């Protein structure tokens, strides 16, 4: 039997699937996958870097489960007789993008650019570097890759990953063109809107509150920036209240 690192993806309906990976001595990587259970029937061995594969799975919402041993038939065994039962997974948010085939390409390009521009502003506030991107790939912010804006898709975000993915998804929802629906839901199926003032309980799950995320939300366009009265008084521009 060989030792693998095991990761798990939990669907919104409570079901889950597992993915296991090991780096072999000859430079290849072996992965096994299937529905969560005593056997992972699917297997593949290829050349590559285990770390890159793991990071890709983490971005998709997989979470670490632990170390297991798997035999040639795919049967999963605990290491050192440790029970395979695990504690309940951390809470997640679930997102889904539904896209009509009638949405014009130009609208999708504009949407991707708007999302990328918003993420650029957010990265500037946070002092983070922004990852690569193309027409439909808004790229990465921090260690989280923003979903593509060309095709439908779905995924999940562990609460432990922080509030930034939630805010970016809310901005994507706010900026989405006609024919594109961005859904964000909690563990209990409650839909998340784009008004942060109505999401105090959700922000509390991330250990923050509206004023705590105000600079980030302003950068993403989720809330209007406050007027700096001292600057307004010194400015020659007229302000009406």
């Amino acid at each position: 039997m060989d030792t693998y690192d095991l990761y798990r993806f939990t669907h919104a309906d409570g079901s889950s699937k597992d993915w296991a990976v090991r780096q072999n001595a000859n430079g290849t990587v072996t992965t096994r996958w299937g529905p969560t259970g005593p056997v992972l029937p699917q297997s593949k061995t290829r050349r590559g870097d285990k770390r890159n594969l793991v990071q890709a799975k983490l971005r998709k919402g997989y979470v670490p489960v632990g170390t297991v041993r798997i035999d040639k038939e795919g049967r999963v065994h605990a290491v050192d007789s440790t029970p395979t039962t695990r504690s309940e997974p951390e809470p997640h948010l679930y997102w889904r993008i539904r896209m009509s085939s009638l949405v014009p390409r130009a609208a999708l390009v504009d949407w991707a650019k708007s999302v990328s521009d918003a993420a650029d502003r957010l990265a500037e506030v946070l002092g983070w570097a922004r990852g690569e991107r193309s027409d439909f790939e808004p790229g990465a912010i921090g260690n989280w890759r923003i979903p593509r804006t060309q095709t439908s898709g779905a995924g999940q975000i562990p609460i432990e990953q922080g509030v930034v993915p939630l805010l970016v998804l809310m901005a994507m929802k706010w900026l989405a063109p006609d024919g594109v629906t961005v859904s964000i839901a909690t563990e209990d199926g409650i839909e998340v809107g784009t008004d942060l003032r109505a999401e105090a309980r959700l922000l509390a799950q991330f250990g923050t509150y509206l004023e705590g995320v105000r600079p980030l939300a302003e950068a993403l366009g989720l809330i209007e920036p406050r007027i700096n009265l001292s600057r307004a008084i010194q400015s020659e521009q007229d302000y009406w209240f």
Side-chain angles (χ1 to χ4, degrees):
M1 289 191 294
D2 295 315
T3 302
Y4 288 77
D5 292 331
L6 186 67
Y7 296 81
R8 180 165 298 160
F9 183 96
T10 304
H11 299 283
D13 62 3
S15 63
S16 61
K17 57 184 177 180
D18 286 354
W19 179 80
V21 60
R22 72 181 306 270
Q23 185 82 54
N24 302 312
N26 62 0
T28 62
V29 177
T30 299
T31 55
R32 300 197 74 103
W33 65 94
T36 299
V39 180
L40 292 180
Q42 305 296 322
S43 176
K44 182 176 182 179
T45 298
R46 54 186 160 173
R47 300 201 66 82
D49 188 338
K50 171 186 169 184
R51 292 170 298 180
N52 292 337
L53 295 176
V54 169
Q55 286 301 314
K57 289 296 183 183
L58 292 176
R59 288 195 294 266
K60 291 180 178 179
Y62 282 78
V63 295
V65 173
T67 302
V68 295
R69 293 179 69 81
I70 303 177
D71 62 25
K72 293 180 179 180
E73 285 71 40
R75 289 188 291 264
V76 181
H77 301 264
V79 174
D80 296 331
S81 301
T82 302
T84 56
T85 55
R86 307 288 173 177
S87 58
E88 288 297 315
E90 292 293 322
H92 288 69
L93 287 178
Y94 301 89
W95 61 268
R96 181 180 297 277
I97 297 175
R98 295 183 177 90
M99 192 170 301
S100 168
S101 59
L102 301 178
V103 182
R105 184 184 189 280
L108 297 178
V109 172
D110 289 344
W111 183 35
K113 184 178 187 305
S114 297
V115 173
S116 292
D117 289 346
D120 282 339
R121 296 192 299 270
L122 179 61
E124 185 176 356
V125 171
L126 291 168
W128 289 359
R130 282 274 282 119
E132 74 286 350
R133 59 187 187 270
S134 61
D135 277 359
F136 296 108
E137 177 63 72
I141 181 164
N143 293 322
W144 181 66
R145 181 164 292 280
I146 302 170
R148 290 178 62 84
T149 55
Q150 183 183 17
T151 57
S152 300
Q156 59 178 324
I157 305 167
I159 295 293
E160 64 185 16
Q161 199 164 2
V163 75
V164 168
L166 167 65
L167 297 177
V168 175
L169 284 168
M170 291 175 75
M172 293 182 71
K173 183 172 184 174
W174 173 258
L175 295 167
D178 291 341
V180 175
T181 302
V182 179
S183 299
I184 314 166
T186 60
E187 288 276 1
D188 51 6
I190 297 176
E191 181 72 15
V192 179
T194 57
D195 184 356
L196 277 171
R197 293 168 296 184
E199 303 297 344
R201 183 175 298 179
L202 179 58
L203 290 175
Q205 283 190 269
F206 287 93
T208 188
Y209 58 104
L210 178 60
E211 290 306 311
V213 299
R214 176 174 286 277
L216 311 183
E218 288 182 357
L220 289 168
L222 291 172
I223 54 177
E224 290 292 328
R226 286 175 171 168
I227 296 175
N228 187 317
L229 291 179
S230 62
R231 289 184 181 179
I233 292 171
Q234 297 172 11
S235 172
E236 297 181 358
Q237 183 176 354
D238 293 332
Y239 288 88
W240 293 90
F241 297 91

